[in-house]
Amino acid sequence: MTHPRYTALAQTLPASVPFVGPEAQERSRGAPFDARLGANENGFGPAPKVLEAIKAHAHEAWMYGEPESHDLRSALAVHHGIGIENIVIGEGIDGLLNYIVRLIIGDGDAVVTSDGAYPTFNYHVAGFGGALHKIPYKGDYEDPEALLAKAHEVGAKLVYLSNPDNPMGTTLAPSLIENMADNLPEGCLLVLDEAYIEFAEPDAVPNLPIEHIGVIRMRTFSKGYGLAGMRVGYAMGAAALIRSFEKIRNHFGMNRLAQIAALAALGDQAGLQDIQNKVAASKVQITEIAEANGLTCVPSSTNFVTIDCGKDGDFARRVLGDLIAQGVFVRMPFVAPQDRCIRVSCGPDAEIARFAEALPKALVQASKG
Amino acid sequence: MTHPRYTALAQTLPASVPFVGPEAQERSRGAPFDARLGANENGFGPAPKVLEAIKAHAHEAWMYGEPESHDLRSALAVHHGIGIENIVIGEGIDGLLNYIVRLIIGDGDAVVTSDGAYPTFNYHVAGFGGALHKIPYKGDYEDPEALLAKAHEVGAKLVYLSNPDNPMGTTLAPSLIENMADNLPEGCLLVLDEAYIEFAEPDAVPNLPIEHIGVIRMRTFSKGYGLAGMRVGYAMGAAALIRSFEKIRNHFGMNRLAQIAALAALGDQAGLQDIQNKVAASKVQITEIAEANGLTCVPSSTNFVTIDCGKDGDFARRVLGDLIAQGVFVRMPFVAPQDRCIRVSCGPDAEIARFAEALPKALVQASKG
């Protein structure tokens, strides 16, 4: 008998972290990073009005967050032209992925995702005993036809797709995703992770009726709105599906200042536009730096640029390692052949300049093997 | 087949909320409360230095929280004289209760708690399929001997005890809890919820070695430190047990400003003392108000006073309903015979004065039946 008596599943799980945080890397290297460009955080955000709202309401931190997130959901309902009953707020998309997996996945249940897609989704699937089936990317894109075919083959209960994609930054034609949602196996749910959607062209967003029973859409204030540290995500979907979250979610889990910050951010669409403009300019900068070093970039609909280092994964890992040694925090795809790339988040000029300085040195160093 | 294909357990769960929030009550009554004294929040907190820290670091909200909460855990380790490996940070005690239940409880597993104790713990147990066994209070106290006997009888994997107790506010002699931890069934874990411990006398705190395999202690910044809205709790226990949280916790679930606020709060023990003094004075005020109305109070080791309304649950529910109608948010125990009481949180003078005004009217109204 274990002590305490862990579940059979818990006994089999590894103590694993989907991502090592930059602060742990800083402690390990004994110095802070000069540029924090690895976690697709948004160094331009949040907008000034959002910061004002946080400061103005800091004294409310003694009160629990409102458990229904009523005001934020109401504002989101207006923003998206849907009902409040179609929205659930959660502790970031990570928290919402935990909930949706927990509602649907038990021992051995089949789940389909792309090989190299979001590790935290996989972490939750494993954490509830699901069986993951992984489909290779098709070039620099997730492959909806193959994901769909695998879902039918294995009788998947969930299929995960991020669009825009992380870690490659690409978007799929909306019709491909709409087709996927319409042709799922019976009872299968498409988890459409749209964390980066504020950086995509509006006409790249799939048109799916909110009551479509085949899809749940995940959104966040972490990326476009620059509030990763506040942990506010939301899921949009059919009212019956959204209501099921009430069975298991942590009703008092939302940080009150996070609710206030998100509401302020949503209300400041000019602030969002400003951030979007800065991100667009930063993507041009990163692309120019890469090209000046003879490298090519994957087209990006996100706030990061995936740079093809032109050789294999070992080479890219050496580039990454040297950038980190030089104080530039970046990350890279985990799986071949995407691991020939490194992934650089947009950020303020000073940090991009540090990357520009460090990259040629890292390439030289990596070429020495 | 359901659509989507929920787990068998999810299909049986009700869409339930452990507590209706005060804001929902305000929407329902069409007016804000004048006094927010129902959720055992701490209207005196957080300390000024903590507010300064939140404001000074608000601009960091674009960065994810540090996934290991290294700085906060290090400070807590020093504060408690234990190792960093003995501490895990979570999204409030609610979040940590979810994790510990998930690690240990599966379909039909036995869990023992007191009838009328924390509903959110019960919510998590039900949410993972556990079988709850409830033991009546013994007067105004939880009953450790009966909890222990039931744990042996049913082969419990978890026993829950809050000390100081919520909703009654009482503490047990430390020896009773130490005895409980030492005499659990094999493999059983005592979940000792010490959310209110900063309000108890230091010699009322059980002395349990940190590596005691029978107990995990839950603490929070919500009560003593006045940061309920920030959602920072921590669990302390044997290193192997604490490490098991790494298998399932939401590594990037912590709000960055919450980590900063908690660290500032812990570092300002004079600020805590000031809050403790205000709470102590407020308890005297509430007690005097109750006694002036011919009511008696349960001795409190918390930041609330449980007032015995002197009749049955129906009477106390009428008192509560009238207080709420008068704009004074309070709550009450759910279960007889404790439901003869109402539970009033400490708070600033102006809010306590509103309670003082409202109580006699509520008692008159309730007496009319």
Side-chain angles (χ1 to χ4, degrees):
Chain A
M1 186 187 288
T2 60
H3 204 308
R5 292 158 62 193
Y6 297 111
T7 65
L9 175 60
Q11 291 178 50
T12 67
L13 294 173
S16 66
V17 187
F19 296 100
V20 177
E23 293 85 357
Q25 296 185 45
E26 289 175 329
R27 289 192 294 273
S28 150
R29 62 191 290 273
F33 284 120
D34 300 324
R36 185 171 164 126
L37 303 171
N40 299 342
E41 296 159 327
N42 186 333
F44 300 114
K49 285 184 184 174
V50 178
L51 286 182
E52 285 166 28
I54 294 172
K55 292 178 188 176
H57 291 271
H59 66 281
E60 294 179 23
W62 65 274
M63 288 185 274
Y64 286 107
E66 201 275 286
E68 300 173 26
S69 293
H70 178 271
D71 294 349
L72 180 56
R73 284 164 65 224
S74 300
L76 284 167
V78 171
H79 182 76
H80 290 295
I82 58 179
I84 188 172
E85 68 279 9
N86 297 116
I87 303 168
V88 59
I89 309 293
E91 305 90 336
I93 288 180
D94 285 1
L96 291 161
L97 290 175
N98 173 304
Y99 293 139
I100 193 67
V101 171
R102 180 176 162 197
L103 282 167
I104 293 175
I105 300 304
D107 189 31
D109 285 338
V111 178
V112 172
T113 187
S114 299
D115 193 12
Y118 194 43
T120 305
F121 176 73
N122 300 355
Y123 171 79
H124 292 312
V125 171
F128 290 103
L132 269 171
H133 300 269
K134 297 181 182 177
I135 295 295
Y137 277 62
K138 192 173 174 182
D140 298 328
Y141 293 80
E142 296 199 53
D143 185 346
E145 291 92 344
L147 289 165
L148 192 56
K150 179 59 77 174
H152 280 276
E153 178 194 329
V154 299
K157 293 174 91 174
L158 290 178
V159 183
Y160 175 88
L161 179 76
S162 66
N163 186 68
D165 177 63
N166 178 19
M168 299 308 285
T170 51
T171 41
L172 295 169
S175 62
L176 292 174
I177 294 170
E178 293 156 10
N179 176 66
M180 205 175 156
D182 289 341
N183 292 285
L184 294 163
E186 192 183 344
C188 178
L189 184 69
L190 171 62
V191 178
L192 184 58
D193 184 341
E194 300 184 318
Y196 296 95
I197 200 77
E198 288 87 4
F199 302 113
E201 294 296 322
D203 64 3
V205 182
N207 183 14
L208 293 159
I210 188 64
E211 285 292 335
H212 196 303
I213 59 171
V215 64
I216 188 165
R217 305 173 88 137
M218 300 287 180
R219 302 284 180 98
T220 183
F221 285 88
S222 295
K223 306 299 182 185
Y225 294 100
L227 287 169
M230 298 306 272
R231 312 280 61 218
V232 189
Y234 58 103
M236 302 192 290
L241 174 61
I242 294 301
R243 182 160 169 75
S244 71
F245 284 75
E246 299 304 309
K247 298 178 171 194
I248 61 159
R249 74 181 180 90
N250 191 359
H251 294 270
F252 285 84
M254 289 304 298
N255 179 300
R256 192 174 189 93
L257 297 187
Q259 293 173 319
I260 289 165
L263 191 59
L266 187 70
D268 182 17
Q269 291 294 308
L272 174 63
Q273 183 63 59
D274 182 54
I275 295 168
Q276 289 165 326
N277 293 344
K278 288 174 178 164
V279 165
S282 186
K283 281 200 280 195
V284 172
Q285 290 177 317
I286 296 169
T287 304
E288 288 174 354
I289 292 163
E291 289 175 352
N293 285 275
L295 307 180
T296 57
C297 296
V298 178
S300 167
S301 301
T302 62
N303 70 328
F304 60 86
V305 180
T306 301
I307 301 174
D308 188 336
C309 292
K311 299 185 182 170
D312 64 3
D314 286 338
F315 180 77
R317 274 182 286 278
R318 289 200 298 274
V319 174
L320 184 94
D322 196 76
L323 287 170
I324 285 172
Q326 291 187 63
V328 176
F329 168 55
V330 292
R331 285 197 177 120
M332 62 182 291
F334 296 106
V335 173
Q338 287 75 37
D339 68 352
R340 71 189 187 282
C341 302
I342 59 170
R343 198 193 66 178
V344 182
S345 307
C346 295
D349 290 350
E351 301 197 28
I352 300 300
R354 280 292 298 123
F355 171 67
E357 277 172 34
L359 181 62
K361 296 177 195 167
L363 290 167
V364 169
Q365 202 62 31
S367 297
K368 293 181 185 165
Chain B
M1 189 187 289
T2 59
H3 203 309
R5 292 158 63 195
Y6 297 110
T7 64
L9 175 60
Q11 291 178 51
T12 67
L13 293 174
S16 66
V17 186
F19 297 100
V20 176
E23 293 86 357
Q25 296 185 45
E26 290 175 329
R27 290 192 294 272
S28 149
R29 62 191 291 273
F33 285 119
D34 300 323
R36 184 171 165 125
L37 304 171
N40 299 343
E41 297 160 327
N42 186 335
F44 301 114
K49 285 185 185 172
V50 178
L51 287 182
E52 285 166 28
I54 294 173
K55 292 177 187 175
H57 292 271
H59 66 281
E60 294 179 22
W62 65 274
M63 289 186 273
Y64 286 107
E66 201 274 286
E68 300 173 28
S69 293
H70 178 271
D71 295 349
L72 180 55
R73 285 165 64 225
S74 299
L76 283 167
V78 171
H79 182 75
H80 290 296
I82 58 178
I84 188 172
E85 69 278 9
N86 298 115
I87 302 168
V88 59
I89 309 293
E91 304 91 335
I93 288 180
D94 285 2
L96 291 162
L97 289 175
N98 174 304
Y99 292 139
I100 193 66
V101 171
R102 181 176 162 197
L103 282 168
I104 293 176
I105 300 303
D107 190 30
D109 285 337
V111 178
V112 173
T113 187
S114 299
D115 193 12
Y118 194 43
T120 304
F121 176 73
N122 300 356
Y123 172 80
H124 292 312
V125 171
F128 290 102
L132 269 170
H133 300 268
K134 298 181 182 176
I135 295 295
Y137 278 61
K138 192 172 171 182
D140 298 327
Y141 293 80
E142 295 200 53
D143 185 346
E145 290 91 345
L147 289 164
L148 191 58
K150 179 59 79 172
H152 280 276
E153 177 195 328
V154 300
K157 293 173 90 173
L158 289 178
V159 182
Y160 174 88
L161 179 75
S162 66
N163 186 67
D165 177 63
N166 178 19
M168 299 308 285
T170 50
T171 42
L172 295 170
S175 61
L176 292 174
I177 294 171
E178 293 155 11
N179 176 66
M180 205 175 156
D182 289 340
N183 291 284
L184 294 162
E186 191 182 343
C188 179
L189 184 69
L190 171 62
V191 178
L192 184 58
D193 184 340
E194 299 184 317
Y196 296 94
I197 201 77
E198 288 86 4
F199 301 114
E201 294 297 321
D203 64 3
V205 181
N207 183 15
L208 293 159
I210 189 64
E211 286 291 336
H212 195 304
I213 60 171
V215 65
I216 188 165
R217 305 173 88 138
M218 300 288 180
R219 302 282 179 99
T220 183
F221 286 88
S222 295
K223 305 299 181 185
Y225 294 100
L227 287 169
M230 298 306 273
R231 312 280 60 222
V232 189
Y234 58 103
M236 302 191 290
L241 173 61
I242 294 302
R243 180 158 171 77
S244 70
F245 283 75
E246 298 305 307
K247 298 178 170 194
I248 60 160
R249 74 182 181 90
N250 191 358
H251 294 269
F252 285 84
M254 288 305 298
N255 179 300
R256 191 174 189 93
L257 297 186
Q259 292 172 320
I260 288 165
L263 191 58
L266 187 70
D268 183 17
Q269 291 294 308
L272 174 64
Q273 182 64 56
D274 182 54
I275 295 169
Q276 288 166 325
N277 293 344
K278 288 173 177 165
V279 165
S282 187
K283 281 201 279 195
V284 172
Q285 291 177 317
I286 296 169
T287 304
E288 288 173 354
I289 293 163
E291 290 175 352
N293 284 276
L295 308 179
T296 56
C297 296
V298 178
S300 168
S301 301
T302 63
N303 71 328
F304 59 85
V305 180
T306 301
I307 301 174
D308 188 336
C309 292
K311 299 183 181 169
D312 64 3
D314 287 339
F315 180 75
R317 274 183 285 279
R318 289 199 299 274
V319 174
L320 185 93
D322 196 76
L323 287 171
I324 285 171
Q326 291 187 64
V328 176
F329 168 55
V330 291
R331 285 197 177 122
M332 62 183 288
F334 295 107
V335 173
Q338 287 75 36
D339 69 351
R340 71 189 188 281
C341 303
I342 60 170
R343 198 194 65 179
V344 182
S345 307
C346 295
D349 290 351
E351 301 197 28
I352 301 299
R354 279 293 297 122
F355 171 68
E357 278 172 34
L359 181 62
K361 297 176 194 167
L363 290 168
V364 169
Q365 202 63 30
S367 297
K368 293 180 184 166

